[in-house]
């Protein structure tokens, strides 16, 4: 089935019980063969270890960027939430779609409406779509975090600026009037976290 690029590096732990069972079964089989025929068992054990090392040596010897590898799980939500927290003022609101609720907590911002998330299928439900439309029409959120494109409300983001971090779009949208009213201290803090304006 489809796997998000890079996801295998931190979701692989789900396979650990199955991998352990595989190792156990192979070890028991080699042990049984070793009892019956020591030469065959030894050759089989060396063969299994050799094949394993051959197919995994690419990953062991590959040069990796440790900082990039460790930047996983909740790091993205922390960075996005921290940027919003730096820019926020008392009455500001946040809208997250489809779902990364930790951004609300990190940013310490209230949701823009009773809809704290918005999945793509919700765009096809008139009542839910109307709730979001009203939110963006009557009191547009100060910040929008769109962690998955295709939820259906991208059309409302014309008056927003998408932030860039480390040269990549992070899909944290800031209402233009808010972004251009930031003071120097806020801009410096954003720069400290490697955020910049997407021109």
């Amino acid at each position: 089935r489809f796997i998000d690029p890079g996801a295998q590096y931190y979701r692989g732990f789900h396979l650990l019980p199955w991998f352990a069972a595989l190792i156990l079964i192979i070890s028991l089989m080699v042990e049984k063969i070793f009892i019956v025929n020591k030469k065959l068992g030894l050759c089989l054990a060396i063969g299994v270890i050799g094949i394993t090392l051959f197919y995994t040596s690419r990953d062991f010897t590959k040069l990796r960027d440790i900082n990039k590898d460790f930047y996983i799980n909740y790091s993205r939500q922390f960075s996005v939430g921290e940027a919003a927290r730096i820019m926020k003022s008392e009455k500001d609101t946040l809208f997250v779609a489809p779902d990364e609720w930790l951004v609300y907590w990190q940013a310490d911002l209230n949701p823009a409406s009773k809809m704290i998330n918005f999945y793509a299928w919700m765009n096809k439900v008139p009542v839910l779509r109307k709730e979001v439309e009203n939110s963006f029409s009557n009191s547009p959120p100060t910040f929008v975090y769109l962690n998955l494109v295709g939820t259906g409300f991208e059309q409302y983001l014309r008056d927003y600026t998408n932030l860039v971090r480390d040269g990549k779009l992070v899909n944290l949208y800031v209402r233009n009037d808010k972004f251009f009213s930031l003071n120097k201290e806020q801009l410096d803090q954003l720069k400290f976290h490697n955020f910049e304006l997407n021109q």
Side-chain angles (χ1 to χ4, degrees):
R1 81 187 172 189
F2 174 75
I3 297 174
D4 292 328
Q8 65 273 20
Y9 289 112
Y10 62 92
R11 289 186 186 161
F13 71 91
H14 291 294
L15 292 173
L16 285 177
W18 302 106
F19 189 61
L22 177 66
I23 292 171
L24 176 65
I25 290 167
I26 290 173
S27 299
L28 291 174
M29 287 173 60
V30 168
E31 182 186 20
K32 293 276 187 196
I33 293 169
F34 193 77
I35 290 170
V36 174
N37 187 336
K38 291 187 180 184
K39 283 186 180 179
L40 181 62
L42 190 60
C43 289
L44 187 62
I46 292 171
V48 167
I49 293 170
I51 290 169
T52 303
L53 290 174
F54 176 75
Y55 282 108
T56 58
S57 62
R58 272 184 311 187
D59 289 330
F60 291 145
T61 58
K62 190 195 298 186
L63 290 174
R64 307 198 60 85
D65 181 357
I66 292 173
N67 289 328
K68 185 177 179 187
D69 288 346
F70 287 168
Y71 192 75
I72 55 172
N73 294 333
Y74 303 116
S75 302
R76 184 178 64 248
Q77 293 94 322
F78 171 81
S79 299
V80 168
E82 191 64 14
R85 190 190 63 73
I86 289 167
M87 294 182 278
K88 76 170 187 171
S89 42
E90 192 178 342
K91 305 254 177 174
D92 289 343
T93 56
L94 171 66
F95 186 84
V96 173
D99 56 5
E100 285 195 5
W101 305 292
L102 284 174
V103 176
Y104 287 114
W105 181 81
Q106 182 62 36
D108 194 22
L109 283 165
N110 291 323
S113 72
K114 63 183 178 182
M115 302 289 294
I116 62 167
N117 59 296
F118 194 77
Y119 297 105
W121 63 266
M122 292 178 170
N123 198 41
K124 297 181 176 94
V125 180
V127 175
L128 300 177
R129 186 177 68 240
K130 190 73 175 163
E131 176 68 31
V132 173
E133 286 173 354
N134 289 341
S135 175
F136 276 85
S137 300
N138 300 333
S139 57
T142 317
F143 306 98
V144 176
Y145 179 51
L146 177 66
N147 67 315
L148 184 64
V149 178
T151 47
F153 74 92
E154 290 87 353
Q155 58 184 323
Y156 301 112
L157 300 176
R158 285 188 287 270
D159 295 329
Y160 288 80
T161 298
N162 192 352
L163 291 187
V164 175
R165 185 172 193 264
D166 296 326
K168 296 177 184 173
L169 294 171
V170 292
N171 296 327
L172 174 61
Y173 294 86
V174 184
R175 215 171 52 218
N176 288 335
D177 61 323
K178 176 68 178 181
F179 192 88
F180 294 113
S181 68
L182 295 175
N183 61 38
K184 185 181 183 309
E185 183 183 347
Q186 290 171 311
L187 290 171
D188 287 345
Q189 285 184 47
L190 283 174
K191 196 171 182 182
F192 174 78
H193 289 281
N194 296 334
F195 282 96
E196 56 192 272
L197 172 62
N198 178 29
Q199 298 288 356

